[in-house]
């Protein structure tokens, strides 16, 4: 065997991201060739199809079905769902063994085999992440190694805001592949907001006919004087959603839809003005919002609004099999309700006390409505205000405090504090960072993020389902800008979500940085326009676009 091939394979075994639980390199390597076969046991069919479609395409190897190679050196890649692995490592765990005659991948479940296949792809080197072979006829080396691995958290997610800047369907499919490559298993799609409604609802066609398009867009932070005067918008048809969900399922990713209520609703009110507080403002004059910030136009607390959103959700549930449905619940200004005679009468009629209670009334209604249909409501941590609905889970975004309070009260939590894992926040304090928003959150900062607050007891900590990085797209007008903000920090976040790491101060950031050297080459092969370690390239900058940088270290709240 060629010494260079063996050396490259050995380096691949020490450059894995996220870091496996246990990696034991051995001598030698397995060489894939044209006659290497793929032996897929029951429950591994989707992983086999994925391997042929990705690794097969990158290597030019057919990977035909079979139980043994046709020659003594051809070998086999064997995939199995294994009960012993499930008992030891859970359904997402896997054991990967590479020897000179082949590869054996045992998954605790179908998901485990798939995550193990992602590791196998990394072991093949960066070129295995391309869509066509660079050197036809090349024999591909996999380093001899034994890996035992399983995730720390069951919820390993990214929230993608497609409402502020629409990302066409192919872009969403691409991001599902990028999530899968990092062993992330939840895509939270923020589908509705003041600036656009992004999902077709057949019962209410104006939501996309009118609500999916805005006449112009603020460039940069809301204080910027600049505008893009081109109309912006788009939406996913129901068939688009079915395709996205099916594509995600084949990669063991759950797509969690978000339909925001009662705030962040101007696009819906622009389409159906009767949803707004008509006794306070002329809702017929509202259009889809064209700037950023917290919008005062919120839903009226009417039975009509409840019935409207029940109709929306009936179609949403038919499209998304996710157990969780996100109902927003954040940033709902109460000014219109305070000024509305109808809302004030409604507070007395319902006996909810005040405007916070009115917001809780919205959330509690849909918590019950979803529970009656076998689903669970999850919302931003403002849903704690006015009393948390009994079955609701919390996305803790304003810091740790909301998640701590929810977990102590016995509610499930996804930790996504803005001070730590909002990827729209800037990555450096240099003057060339494009449209700098928020605190500086470097790759190392994200790597040292800890999702479980030390204030929780072990029993309370079991309510932390996992963690999520959030990507708000107000200043991300293109896929390239999206890539720049998300990567490479999503790689660090993925390791936090997957791997069993020591406390933040004790984490081996230097070792992670060394492994990232290999990972940048993978991102290059995948066509990701990430932020380079040395800072933005000339075409990644946005001179003249106003941001909103916040100086100093973020508070630990």
């Amino acid at each position: 065997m060629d010494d260079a091939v063996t050396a490259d394979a050995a380096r691949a075994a020490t450059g894995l991201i996220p870091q496996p639980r246990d990696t034991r390199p051995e001598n030698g390597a397995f060489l894939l060739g044209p006659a290497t076969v793929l032996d897929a046991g029951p429950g591994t069919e989707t992983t086999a199809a994925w391997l042929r479609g990705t690794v097969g395409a990158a290597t030019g190897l057919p990977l035909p079905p079979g139980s043994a190679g046709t020659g003594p050196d051809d070998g086999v890649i064997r995939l199995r769902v294994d009960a012993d692995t499930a008992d030891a490592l859970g359904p997402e765990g896997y054991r990967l063994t590479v020897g000179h005659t082949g590869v054996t991948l045992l998954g605790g479940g179908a998901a485990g085999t798939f995550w193990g296949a992602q590791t196998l792809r990394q072991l093949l080197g960066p070129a295995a992440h391309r869509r066509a072979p660079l050197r036809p006829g090349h024999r591909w080396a996999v380093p001899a190694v034994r890996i035992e691995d399983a995730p720390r958290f069951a919820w390993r997610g990214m929230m993608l805001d497609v409402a502020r800047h629409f990302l066409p369907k192919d872009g969403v499919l691409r991001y599902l592949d990028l999530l899968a490559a990092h062993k992330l298993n939840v895509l939270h799609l923020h589908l509705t907001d003041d600036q656009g409604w992004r999902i077709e609802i057949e019962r209410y066609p104006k939501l996309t006919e009118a609500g999916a398009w805005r006449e112009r867009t603020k460039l940069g932070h809301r204080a910027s004087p600049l505008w893009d005067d081109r109309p912006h918008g788009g939406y996913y048809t129901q068939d688009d959603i079915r395709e996205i969900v099916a594509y995600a399922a084949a990669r063991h990713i759950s797509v969690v839809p978000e339909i925001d209520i009662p705030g962040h609703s101007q696009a819906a009110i622009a389409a159906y003005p009767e949803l707004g507080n008509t006794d306070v403002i002329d809702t017929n004059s509202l259009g889809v919002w064209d700037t950023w910030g917290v919008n005062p136009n919120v839903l009226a607390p009417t039975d009509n609004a409840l019935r409207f959103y029940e109709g929306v959700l009936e179609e949403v549930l038919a499209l998304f099999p996710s157990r969780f449905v996100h109902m927003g619940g954040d940033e709902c200004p109460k000014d219109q309700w305070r000024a509305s005679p109808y809302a004030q009468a409604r507070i007395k009629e319902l006996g909810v006390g005040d405007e916070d209670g009115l917001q809780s009334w919205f959330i509690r209604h849909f918590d019950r409505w979803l529970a009656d249909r076998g689903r669970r409501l999850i919302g931003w941590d403002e849903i704690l205000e006015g009393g948390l609905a009994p079955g609701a889970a919390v996305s803790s975004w304003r810091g740790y405090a909301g998640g701590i309070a929810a977990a102590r009260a016995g509610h499930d939590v996804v930790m996504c504090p803005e001070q730590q894992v909002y990827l729209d926040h800037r990555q450096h304090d240099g003057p060339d960072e494009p449209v700098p928003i928020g605190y500086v959150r470097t790759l190392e900062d994200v790597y040292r993020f800890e999702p479980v607050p030390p204030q929780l007891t072990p029993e309370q900590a079991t309510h932390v389902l996992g963690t999520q990085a959030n990507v708000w797209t107000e200043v991300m007008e293109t896929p390239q800008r999206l890539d720049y903000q998300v990567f490479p920090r999503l790689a660090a976040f993925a390791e936090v979500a997957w791997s069993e790491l020591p406390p933040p101060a004790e984490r081996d950031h230097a070792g992670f940085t060394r492994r990232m050297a290999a990972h940048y080459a993978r991102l290059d092969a995948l066509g990701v326009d990430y932020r380079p370690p040395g800072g933005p390239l000339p075409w990644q900058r946005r001179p003249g676009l106003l941001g909103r940088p916040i100086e100093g270290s973020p508070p630990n709240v």
Side-chain angles (χ1 to χ4, degrees):
M1 184 181 299
D2 185 280
D3 289 343
V5 169
T6 304
D8 288 344
R11 280 193 293 271
T14 59
L16 299 173
I17 289 179
Q19 188 172 44
R21 182 174 295 185
D22 184 47
T23 303
R24 301 181 185 183
E26 299 186 348
N27 294 325
F30 166 59
L31 291 180
L32 279 73
T36 300
V37 298
L38 189 55
D39 179 5
T44 70
E45 295 85 358
T46 58
T47 297
W50 179 85
L51 279 168
R52 291 193 179 98
T54 53
V55 172
T59 61
L61 301 177
L63 301 178
S67 58
T70 58
D73 298 324
D74 295 320
V76 59
I77 300 173
R78 185 172 291 104
L79 309 178
R80 294 290 186 272
V81 172
D82 178 65
D84 289 341
T85 301
D87 290 342
L89 299 172
E92 290 193 282
Y94 66 90
R95 290 178 169 128
L96 178 64
T97 303
V98 182
H100 72 278
T101 60
V103 176
T104 298
L105 172 54
L106 306 178
T113 58
F114 182 73
W115 304 130
Q118 294 288 349
T119 299
L120 176 61
R121 186 191 194 188
Q122 288 197 16
L123 290 172
L124 282 162
H129 293 72
R130 296 187 179 272
R131 297 189 182 185
L134 303 182
R135 297 181 296 278
H138 174 70
R139 289 176 71 86
W140 293 74
V142 189
V145 67
R146 293 179 182 272
I147 295 174
E148 185 169 284
D149 199 10
R152 179 184 180 191
F153 292 110
W155 185 302
R156 308 180 302 280
M158 187 183 91
M159 190 287 302
L160 180 58
D161 169 19
V162 296
R164 272 50 177 271
H165 278 101
F166 179 63
L167 184 66
K169 179 197 68 179
D170 284 353
V172 177
L173 299 180
R174 173 176 175 264
Y175 258 80
L176 286 167
D177 281 329
L178 292 173
L179 295 186
H182 292 83
K183 298 186 175 72
L184 298 173
N185 67 345
V186 176
L187 175 63
H188 168 178
L189 270 184
H190 183 78
L191 289 164
T192 72
D193 215 298
D194 302 304
Q195 295 85 1
W197 186 284
R198 304 296 178 217
I199 178 171
E200 177 188 26
I201 302 297
E202 293 176 349
R203 187 176 306 184
Y204 305 121
K206 291 181 184 178
L207 286 172
T208 46
E209 290 172 359
W213 304 91
R214 58 179 181 261
E215 293 185 357
R216 62 176 186 169
T217 299
K218 174 67 70 173
L219 285 175
H221 184 255
R222 61 181 175 271
S224 166
L226 302 177
W227 295 89
D228 182 343
D229 288 321
R230 297 172 297 174
H232 176 85
Y235 65 92
Y236 308 111
T237 68
Q238 294 203 358
D239 280 346
D240 290 338
I241 293 294
R242 291 183 183 99
E243 181 181 358
I244 288 168
V245 169
Y247 196 85
R251 287 149 183 78
H252 298 277
I253 296 172
S254 175
V255 184
V256 175
E258 181 180 355
I259 306 295
D260 215 335
I261 64 164
H264 288 288
S265 297
Q266 183 164 318
I269 297 169
Y272 292 92
E274 66 271 20
L275 293 173
N277 294 281
T278 56
D279 60 343
V280 176
I281 61 164
D282 177 13
T283 55
N284 287 292
S285 68
L286 295 177
V288 178
W289 211 27
D290 54 14
T291 189
W292 320 121
V294 179
N295 188 298
N297 296 303
V298 302
L299 297 177
T302 63
D303 289 339
N304 176 61
L306 297 184
R307 301 293 88 77
F308 183 94
Y309 276 87
E310 287 172 359
V312 168
L313 289 171
E314 284 174 2
E315 297 190 28
V316 167
L317 297 192
L319 295 168
F320 293 91
S322 165
R323 184 185 178 197
F324 288 93
V325 176
H326 207 290
M327 297 302 297
D330 63 317
E331 295 180 329
C332 179
K334 312 298 192 299
D335 296 343
Q336 290 183 0
W337 290 348
R338 293 187 185 98
S340 164
Y342 178 84
Q344 292 303 307
R346 195 71 159 147
I347 288 171
K348 293 179 182 178
E349 175 193 344
L350 296 169
V352 295
D354 58 13
E355 291 78 17
D356 284 345
L358 204 55
Q359 177 172 345
S360 179
W361 169 77
F362 268 102
I363 299 301
R364 285 175 178 269
H365 174 84
F366 285 104
D367 177 66
R368 291 190 299 269
W369 191 91
L370 288 167
D372 288 345
R373 288 153 182 82
R375 307 296 183 95
R376 289 189 64 189
L377 182 145
I378 186 169
W380 304 111
D381 55 51
E382 284 95 331
I383 68 174
L384 291 161
E385 298 166 4
L388 185 59
V394 171
S395 299
S396 188
W397 77 272
R398 290 180 294 180
Y400 288 105
I404 291 169
R408 284 174 172 168
H411 292 273
D412 289 338
V413 177
V414 175
M415 284 293 183
C416 48
E418 64 169 328
Q419 301 87 352
Q420 311 296 330
V421 287
Y422 266 35
L423 300 187
D424 44 303
H425 283 208
R426 58 192 174 135
Q427 303 181 63
H428 194 273
D429 62 1
D432 291 328
E433 288 302 309
V435 201
I437 298 294
Y439 296 101
V440 172
R441 292 287 87 192
T442 66
L443 184 66
E444 180 174 357
D445 291 330
V446 175
Y447 187 66
R448 296 194 189 280
F449 164 59
E450 173 49 50
V452 178
Q455 298 95 320
L456 296 180
T457 67
E459 181 180 357
Q460 292 165 350
T462 64
H463 287 290
V464 179
L465 300 176
T467 184
Q468 182 172 287
N470 292 340
V471 186
W472 301 102
T473 62
E474 287 95 334
V475 298
M476 299 179 213
E477 75 281 8
T478 65
Q480 291 76 25
R481 278 287 292 123
L482 180 63
D483 278 6
Y484 180 92
Q485 291 300 131
V486 172
F487 289 98
R489 292 182 295 181
L490 193 70
F493 173 80
E495 184 147 311
V496 168
W498 177 277
S499 304
E500 294 281 354
L501 298 176
E506 300 172 21
R507 291 178 187 171
D508 183 9
H509 178 254
F512 174 75
T513 301
R514 286 192 295 272
R515 286 184 288 118
M516 277 301 299
H519 201 64
Y520 284 120
R522 297 183 193 115
L523 296 178
D524 287 332
L526 288 165
V528 177
D529 200 14
Y530 57 86
R531 182 191 189 275
L537 298 168
W539 57 87
Q540 294 174 321
R541 301 167 188 162
R542 294 292 188 276
L545 283 187
L546 182 68
R548 182 177 171 268
I550 304 174
E551 302 302 330
S553 299
N556 188 11
V557 295

